Amino acid sequence: MTIDTKLPFDQGYVRELSKELGEPGWLLDLRLQALEKVEGLPMPKPDKTKIDKWNFTQFTNHVVKSEPYQSLEELPEAVKALIDEDANLNLYIQRDNTAAYSTQSEELKAQGVIFTDIHTAAREHSDLLQKYFMKDAVKVDEHRLTALHAALVNGGAFVYVPKNVEVDVPLHAIYVHENPETTLFNHVIVVAEDNSTVTFVENYISIAENVNGAVFNIISEVIAGTNAKVTYGAVDSLAKGVTTYVNRRGVVGRDSKLEWALGLMNDGDTISENITHLVGDGSLGDTKTVVVGRGEQKQNFTTSVIHHGKHSEGYILKHGVMKDSASSVFNGIGKIEHGASKSNAEQESRVLMLSEKARGDANPILLIDEDDVTAGHAASVGRVDPLQLYYLMSRGIPKVEAERLVIHGFLAPVVNELPIEGVKKQLIEVIERKVK
């Protein structure tokens, strides 16, 4: 029996929500049109993972209002640990569905950089937001979960970097899941105009206890103009009782770069899509993903780099560790479209299984519609190398510590790419907790 898909909210609710948020007419229209489409659209169909009984639509509270933080001293200790001093001046913190803390340096404001919550962006930068909101990277009617997201967006962030502006400090967003009844439809947009650079890092962190049946639907859109560079780092660390759909997409222009460094550490069932469109000639997409699964959780991670432009380069590196009875599917897709000559698509997916009942499935896929290209893939699924353990233990290192060192070495290619030290430290701590 499948989960009931009848929505708990109607057009009247959406109208009142939009009015309360002070949204422009175009966004209300988009919400209402999306709501009409939800039940008529199919669910996404992640390869080799059945999600027909997962709950993505049934929840009681759509918006949980929390108090803002008056200062960083009020933050929970787990959240404080994520913040570097360098990031203090460019920081957005969301508490459940409330924009709870925000600060931006005067220097970046003077350069025209926008870094704010998605609702403020809708009110104060309406035309700019409309230009990018679910236009190029993610479409409203792709499937039921994208339409549902468009109808019920209740949080998120907006980053805009004008032409010729180089942001040399990371912009950091933290989404704190504090109330166990929180439902999150978070929408994040990062735009880097021509010849600009920006590093954006986000954390999803659960500090709520006794979470049961929470629904999180997360979409990120990244637009990189000509000769722009975007580095996007994320660590997702949501509680066991959260069912998560997360969709991070990028559109990359001529001679531009989009680099993803993703630590996917949720303890609940998760579907993740990460798709990069290399639209411009000479564009580059580099995706590094690290995953740890434990307990009985089920996860599906699809990473795609699609080449449209000539001389484009796409790289996928995914390392996962599975323990207990956890199961994960890693789909890597490198697609070179007709006309994308001289392009290069490379990918590598590797999974370590620490328990007899743990399962990992790595599926590298190359779809090539052009002759004059380079492409390659590698995949492996196995257990900790006994020779590595023997080498370490022969030097006096206990077996448990030796296994720990092997695991950290296995995951290091992604961990080391995260650009904020506090976030990198958090990811290491989450890995420690999940694999011990």
Side-chain angles (χ1 to χ4, degrees), residues 132-145:
Y132 299 106
F133 191 93
M134 301 191 84
K135 288 288 181 62
D136 296 320
V138 181
K139 305 293 186 182
V140 171
D141 58 358
E142 287 186 18
H143 49 65
R144 185 173 300 165
L145 297 186

Side-chain angles (χ1 to χ4, degrees), residues 1-3 90 204 218 247 263 279 314 361 406 428:
M1 181 176 179
T2 59
I3 291 288
N90 298 286
Y204 288 87
I218 297 163
N247 185 341
V279 174
D361 190 349
V406 170
I428 293 171

Side-chain angles (χ1 to χ4, degrees), residues 1-119:
M1 181 176 179
T2 59
I3 291 288
D4 183 12
T5 58
K6 186 174 178 59
L7 297 179
F9 303 101
D10 58 14
Q11 283 196 5
Y13 173 83
V14 170
R15 288 182 183 278
E16 285 301 314
L17 172 68
S18 184
K19 181 179 179 180
E20 182 178 341
L21 293 171
E23 292 180 345
W26 68 263
L27 187 49
L28 171 59
D29 291 343
L30 184 146
R31 285 184 183 273
L32 293 174
Q33 291 167 14
L35 189 67
E36 289 182 357
K37 296 176 180 178
V38 171
E39 293 188 25
L41 289 170
M43 288 290 288
K45 295 179 174 59
D47 187 39
K48 299 185 178 180
T49 302
K50 292 184 178 180
I51 63 170
D52 55 323
K53 295 184 180 181
W54 293 24
N55 177 29
F56 294 103
T57 61
Q58 299 304 299
F59 44 88
T60 303
N61 297 302
H62 175 240
V63 175
V64 172
K65 294 182 179 180
S66 303
E67 292 296 318
Y69 297 114
Q70 300 303 315
S71 73
L72 296 180
E73 293 304 313
E74 294 184 12
L75 295 175
E77 291 301 319
V79 180
K80 284 183 183 178
L82 303 177
I83 301 172
D84 286 356
E85 290 185 6
D86 291 342
N88 279 355
L89 293 178
N90 298 286
L91 177 66
Y92 168 62
I93 302 176
Q94 183 174 300
R95 188 179 190 181
D96 298 314
N97 305 119
T98 299
Y101 185 89
S102 182
T103 182
Q104 183 180 347
S105 72
E106 293 301 323
E107 179 183 359
L108 292 188
K109 289 180 182 178
Q111 292 176 299
V113 175
I114 300 170
F115 180 33
T116 188
D117 68 275
I118 198 75
H119 302 312

Side-chain angles (χ1 to χ4, degrees), residues 66-215:
S66 303
E67 292 296 318
Y69 297 114
Q70 300 303 315
S71 73
L72 296 180
E73 293 304 313
E74 294 184 12
L75 295 175
E77 291 301 319
V79 180
K80 284 183 183 178
L82 303 177
I83 301 172
D84 286 356
E85 290 185 6
D86 291 342
N88 279 355
L89 293 178
N90 298 286
L91 177 66
Y92 168 62
I93 302 176
Q94 183 174 300
R95 188 179 190 181
D96 298 314
N97 305 119
T98 299
Y101 185 89
S102 182
T103 182
Q104 183 180 347
S105 72
E106 293 301 323
E107 179 183 359
L108 292 188
K109 289 180 182 178
Q111 292 176 299
V113 175
I114 300 170
F115 180 33
T116 188
D117 68 275
I118 198 75
H119 302 312
T120 297
R123 291 190 299 269
E124 299 182 2
H125 309 283
S126 175
D127 291 346
L128 196 56
L129 182 67
Q130 184 180 15
K131 182 178 178 180
Y132 299 106
F133 191 93
M134 301 191 84
K135 288 288 181 62
D136 296 320
V138 181
K139 305 293 186 182
V140 171
D141 58 358
E142 287 186 18
H143 49 65
R144 185 173 300 165
L145 297 186
T146 54
L148 184 67
H149 176 96
L152 298 178
V153 170
N154 61 8
F158 180 67
V159 174
Y160 175 79
V161 183
K163 291 181 180 180
N164 306 315
V165 173
E166 296 186 7
V167 180
D168 57 4
V169 293
L171 309 181
H172 191 186
I174 305 174
Y175 315 104
V176 184
H177 175 211
E178 186 171 323
N179 189 317
E181 296 185 355
T182 294
T183 297
L184 190 61
F185 287 82
N186 228 43
H187 198 94
V188 176
I189 296 179
V190 177
V191 178
E193 293 282 15
D194 298 352
N195 306 310
S196 67
T197 64
V198 66
T199 295
F200 175 76
V201 179
E202 64 182 5
N203 290 89
Y204 288 87
I205 179 169
S206 288
I207 60 172
E209 298 180 356
N210 302 317
V211 179
N212 184 25
V215 175

